[in-house]
Amino acid sequence: MTIAVVVPARNEAATLPTTLQSLRDQCRPAEHVLVVDGGSIDGTTDIARRFGADVRVVPGWGRGGQIAAGVADCDADVVLAAHADMLFHPTALEAVDRYLSMHPSCPGGCLGHRFNRQNGTFFRAIEWWDRRRALRGHSYGDQAQFFRRAALAHEGGFPDLPLMEDVELARRLRRLGRPAYLDVPVTVSARRYERLGWARVIWTNWRLRRAYARSGPDGCWKLFRQYYRAIGTD
């Protein structure tokens, strides 16, 4: 079984080195690491190449579109979609390989996550809640989702959406079988909560999920514009 890791990035020079180093330090390394850049101006692509990753530039907003472009460039059996601020446990890819080898009907799943803050009841509560959802197959992108590329092709492949691509991916995996929750959590940055405030992030996320549940993929561009307007990003 071969594994590819696709990392969408845009101006992630500060965080990407840690992510790529943790992928290099895997007990079972990936056969292919691909950074899909959304038009960085801070040297992100140079850093990616320095760490031995392949680079593809896909200008414009939308992490889902970046990941979809990366998946199209991969021929690995399994693809893991990483974020540019993730720190992987050394056994993460080994756990993916072992679980999928032992469960050939499993279409994919996620590793789980924890925030890079040791103290804080709020962050522990989010981790606990997201873990409960992922155990039922409702994983999120910051939990390091992975999937069998050939199996997902039967459900339309990776969702090329500007927003909520992780929610739609989890939905497609559930239609294919029972997704796995491996509980080998990646460490992710709490920067978004710290920059915008926890109440604003939770409210925005809840509104987007409710809107997506009503409109589905067809309404994604409208949700995308609303989201970036809500967080004050051009």
Side-chain angles (χ1 to χ4, degrees), residues 18-71:
T18 302
T19 299
L20 295 180
Q21 186 61 53
S22 71
L23 290 170
R24 292 178 69 173
D25 292 341
Q26 290 294 300
C27 298
R28 185 266 188 246
E31 279 75 17
H32 188 192
V33 176
L34 174 61
V35 174
V36 186
D37 184 75
S40 297
I41 58 173
D42 66 346
T44 291
T45 56
D46 293 334
I47 289 171
R49 293 187 180 99
R50 192 158 66 241
F51 276 85
D54 290 333
V55 174
R56 178 175 178 185
V57 178
V58 181
W61 287 100
R63 183 162 52 199
Q66 289 174 255
I67 298 174
V71 172

Side-chain angles (χ1 to χ4, degrees), residues 7 14 22 29 39 55 89 129 151 156 184 187 192 195:
V7 187
S22 71
V55 174
H89 190 276
W129 179 251
V184 187
T187 301
R192 181 164 169 260
R195 179 169 61 91

Side-chain angles (χ1 to χ4, degrees), residues 122 193 196-205:
F122 169 72
Y193 289 94
L196 299 175
W198 65 267
R200 186 178 180 186
V201 172
I202 289 177
W203 172 243
T204 299
N205 288 349

Side-chain angles (χ1 to χ4, degrees), residues 195-196 200 225-234:
R195 179 169 61 91
L196 299 175
R200 186 178 180 186
R225 290 189 292 270
Q226 290 176 345
Y227 171 76
Y228 280 102
R229 187 162 58 245
I231 65 174
T233 302
D234 296 330

Side-chain angles (χ1 to χ4, degrees), residues 3-9 19 23 30 32-36 63-71 74 78-88 93 96 108-113 139-148 152 158-159 165-166 169-170 173 186 188:
I3 299 177
V5 180
V6 175
V7 187
T19 299
L23 290 170
H32 188 192
V33 176
L34 174 61
V35 174
V36 186
R63 183 162 52 199
Q66 289 174 255
I67 298 174
V71 172
C74 294
V78 176
V79 177
L80 186 147
H83 289 183
D85 64 349
M86 284 180 173
L87 176 62
F88 287 82
L93 298 186
V96 172
C110 75
L111 294 174
H113 72 165
S139 59
Y140 293 131
D142 60 1
Q143 292 175 300
Q145 295 169 305
F146 57 88
F147 55 89
R148 297 184 194 269
L152 191 63
F158 188 89
E165 78 287 342
D166 54 345
L169 173 60
L173 291 178
V186 295
V188 296

Side-chain angles (χ1 to χ4, degrees), residues 88-223:
F88 287 82
H89 190 276
T91 65
L93 298 186
E94 181 181 57
V96 172
D97 194 338
R98 182 172 59 250
Y99 188 91
L100 293 181
S101 296
M102 294 174 60
H103 301 83
S105 64
C106 176
C110 75
L111 294 174
H113 72 165
R114 64 185 173 208
F115 290 96
N116 61 346
R117 294 294 179 266
Q118 297 300 317
N119 300 316
T121 303
F122 169 72
F123 291 118
R124 300 294 82 77
I126 293 177
E127 294 164 3
W128 176 84
W129 179 251
D130 288 351
R131 181 179 184 274
R132 284 176 57 88
R133 288 182 55 85
L135 284 168
R136 301 195 303 272
H138 297 265
S139 59
Y140 293 131
D142 60 1
Q143 292 175 300
Q145 295 169 305
F146 57 88
F147 55 89
R148 297 184 194 269
R149 196 169 53 86
L152 191 63
H154 293 291
E155 285 293 333
F158 188 89
D160 186 355
L161 301 173
L163 199 68
M164 308 301 284
E165 78 287 342
D166 54 345
V167 174
E168 180 61 26
L169 173 60
R171 179 185 295 179
R172 295 183 186 188
L173 291 178
R174 292 195 303 274
R175 289 201 292 258
L176 290 166
R178 181 180 177 85
Y181 176 77
L182 300 190
D183 206 16
V184 187
V186 295
T187 301
V188 296
S189 173
R191 57 184 174 172
R192 181 164 169 260
Y193 289 94
E194 293 170 342
R195 179 169 61 91
L196 299 175
W198 65 267
R200 186 178 180 186
V201 172
I202 289 177
W203 172 243
T204 299
N205 288 349
W206 181 83
R207 288 178 60 198
L208 286 172
R209 287 195 293 268
R210 284 290 302 272
Y212 186 77
R214 292 193 298 269
S215 65
D218 291 340
C220 261
W221 279 106
K222 180 180 178 180
L223 293 178

